[in-house]
Amino acid sequence: MSTITNGLTIAQDFIGCVETRDREGIERLLHPDARQVFVLNTDPAHPSGVFEGKDEVLAYTFGLFGKFDSLVWVDKDWTVSADGTRVFMQAQSEGVAHHSKAPYRNTYVIRFDMAGERIVQILEYPLDDVDTAAIRTPPTARPMFLAGP
């Protein structure tokens, strides 16, 4: 199997494992030094969330299972770098929030960086402003003592 095909298969398997809540599969596909970064603001140098190490990435990923009754990605569009070490997926998430039963939809680009046969880094870039705006604290909502002159 070529490096390009292998990287694509690993990324596709990871997404499939998240969709089916396959904890063992997720764990098997992550590198011991795995890292997951959420780039939710306009400055990629200052990401909104970073999980360092396989244990933190697993804890975050397994935590999704309690937050969503279901979570899948539809209309997946895959792109692989020339050397096969980076795989990109653009897709629409389709989920149902556990607590509110509200639909969850967002368009993402997710980048998977490979190290051998495992995922060493996941970068998530949401493309929709509607859902991401709800998780940001507007400057006017900050306490007055932080607002400055």
Side-chain angles (χ1 to χ4, degrees):
M1 184 180 293
S2 74
T3 303
I4 293 173
T5 303
N6 200 34
L8 177 60
T9 300
I10 292 166
Q12 289 173 331
D13 286 351
F14 182 84
I15 290 295
C17 288
V18 172
E19 292 176 333
T20 61
R21 301 174 182 233
D22 177 356
R23 292 171 185 257
E24 290 177 7
I26 293 166
E27 190 167 357
R28 177 179 39 81
L29 293 166
L30 288 174
H31 190 276
D33 297 324
R35 178 176 194 250
Q36 188 160 2
V37 179
F38 295 93
V39 184
L40 300 177
N41 55 42
T42 57
D43 183 1
H46 299 94
S48 299
V50 178
F51 299 93
E52 296 283 355
K54 185 175 184 175
D55 289 342
E56 285 189 18
V57 174
L58 287 171
Y60 165 76
T61 303
F62 296 166
L64 292 175
F65 303 155
K67 293 179 182 181
F68 294 97
D69 289 342
S70 65
L71 181 62
V72 297
W73 287 268
V74 297
D75 300 325
K76 298 174 183 100
D77 183 14
W78 296 93
T79 305
V80 183
S81 65
D83 64 0
T85 61
R86 288 175 315 282
V87 178
F88 299 84
M89 178 189 78
Q90 181 172 330
Q92 173 77 35
S93 64
E94 294 281 340
V96 176
H98 177 71
H99 179 69
S100 66
K101 306 302 183 208
Y104 174 81
R105 292 184 182 90
N106 233 341
T107 304
Y108 286 93
V109 170
I110 302 175
R111 173 179 155 177
F112 300 90
D113 292 351
M114 305 298 160
E117 301 292 312
R118 303 230 176 127
I119 298 168
V120 72
Q121 180 167 254
I122 302 167
L123 300 167
E124 288 195 35
Y125 301 89
L127 300 181
D128 296 329
D129 289 333
V130 176
D131 288 338
T132 60
I135 63 173
R136 294 187 191 139
T137 304
T140 56
R142 293 184 298 164
M144 290 304 294
F145 63 88
L146 294 178

